[in-house]
């Protein structure tokens, strides 16, 4: 669990600097230069992400179960994940109504992803991992909504339809193949 906690601290900590410590971040950019800051940011992110993967995989070997599994939660989580994948697609598909309305669909996608996984899982490592990402997404979304900046381009019906199709395809890819192939867990059973 220590490796998971350290990885979360590094990964989410560096990703919180813009939201929680913008002056410190700006000072580091001034001191290191833009490329130097991006290099440090990338290195800390990669180390943190690697420790998250390692720590979570080790914690799964001897899970600390916090409550009994609740029947049907994996199916509810799958429904939430459909929403998360559409929100993720909205961050990248140009000119869609979802991004125009919500402004930060990627962060909302992380919120929904984390909540879905908290519903479907019941171990201490799951609560640490997905709970940390949920708190991170809440803080970042709040800060991003307060920050001035250009509004996203107006949405179009074609952009929104493409967003939903891409989101559905991503969801199907993960639900029916990638989650089991990459993580060894079939979210909807076999």
């Amino acid at each position: 669990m220590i490796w998971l906690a350290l990885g979360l601290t590094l990964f989410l900590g560096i990703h919180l600097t813009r939201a929680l410590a913008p002056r410190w971040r700006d000072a580091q950019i001034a001191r290191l230069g833009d490329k130097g800051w991006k290099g440090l940011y990338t290195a800390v992110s990669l180390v943190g992400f690697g420790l998250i993967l390692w720590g979570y995989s080790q914690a799964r070997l001897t899970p600390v179960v916090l409550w009994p599994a609740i029947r049907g939660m994996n199916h509810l989580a799958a429904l939430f994940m459909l929403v998360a994948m559409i929100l993720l697609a909205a961050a990248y598909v140009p000119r869609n109504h979802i991004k125009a309305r919500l402004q930060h669909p990627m962060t909302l996608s992380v919120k929904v992803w984390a909540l879905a996984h908290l519903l479907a899982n019941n171990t201490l490592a799951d609560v640490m991992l997905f709970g940390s990402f949920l708190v991170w997404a809440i803080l970042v979304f709040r800060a991003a909504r307060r920050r001035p900046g250009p509004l996203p381009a107006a949405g179009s019906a074609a952009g929104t339809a493409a967003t939903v199709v891409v989101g559905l395809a991503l969801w199907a890819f993960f639900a029916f193949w990638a989650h089991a192939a990459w993580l060894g867990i079939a979210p909807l059973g076999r």
Side-chain angles (χ1 to χ4, degrees):
M1 287 295 185
I2 291 172
W3 296 115
L4 176 59
L6 180 59
L8 288 165
T9 301
L10 290 172
F11 186 83
L12 296 177
I14 198 75
H15 281 83
L16 276 172
T17 56
R18 185 172 183 190
L20 297 183
R23 287 190 204 139
W24 180 84
R25 176 183 175 270
D26 292 344
Q28 299 315 305
I29 292 170
R31 186 172 68 85
L32 301 170
D34 193 49
K35 287 184 181 181
W37 169 251
K38 286 180 181 177
L40 176 65
Y41 189 96
T42 301
V44 171
S45 295
L46 288 173
V47 169
F49 189 68
L51 288 172
I52 289 170
L53 294 175
W54 172 255
Y56 187 72
S57 70
Q58 293 304 299
R60 284 181 58 197
L61 297 175
T62 54
V64 177
V65 176
L66 299 176
W67 59 83
I70 301 170
R71 186 173 169 86
M73 283 297 120
N74 61 326
H75 291 91
L76 180 59
L79 180 62
F80 275 52
M81 284 306 301
L82 176 58
V83 173
M85 291 301 185
I86 291 170
L87 288 168
L88 178 63
Y92 295 101
V93 175
R95 299 185 57 85
N96 67 79
H97 289 294
I98 298 167
K99 185 172 186 175
R101 174 77 173 109
L102 301 175
Q103 297 180 14
H104 304 284
M106 168 83 74
T107 307
L108 289 172
S109 176
V110 173
K111 279 185 186 181
V112 176
W113 166 83
L115 179 60
H117 285 78
L118 282 170
L119 290 171
N121 295 286
N122 62 347
T123 71
L124 179 58
D126 296 319
V127 170
M128 283 178 63
L129 177 64
F130 302 116
S132 296
F133 271 93
L134 181 58
V135 170
W136 171 85
I138 289 167
L139 293 171
V140 168
F141 185 77
R142 193 171 131 219
R145 297 283 288 201
R146 291 179 175 172
R147 209 172 26 246
L151 293 175
S156 69
T160 304
T163 297
V164 171
V165 168
V166 169
L168 284 167
L170 280 170
W171 178 83
F173 173 72
F174 277 94
F176 297 113
W177 184 79
H179 205 279
W182 295 346
L183 304 173
I185 300 166
L188 298 175
R190 294 211 185 258

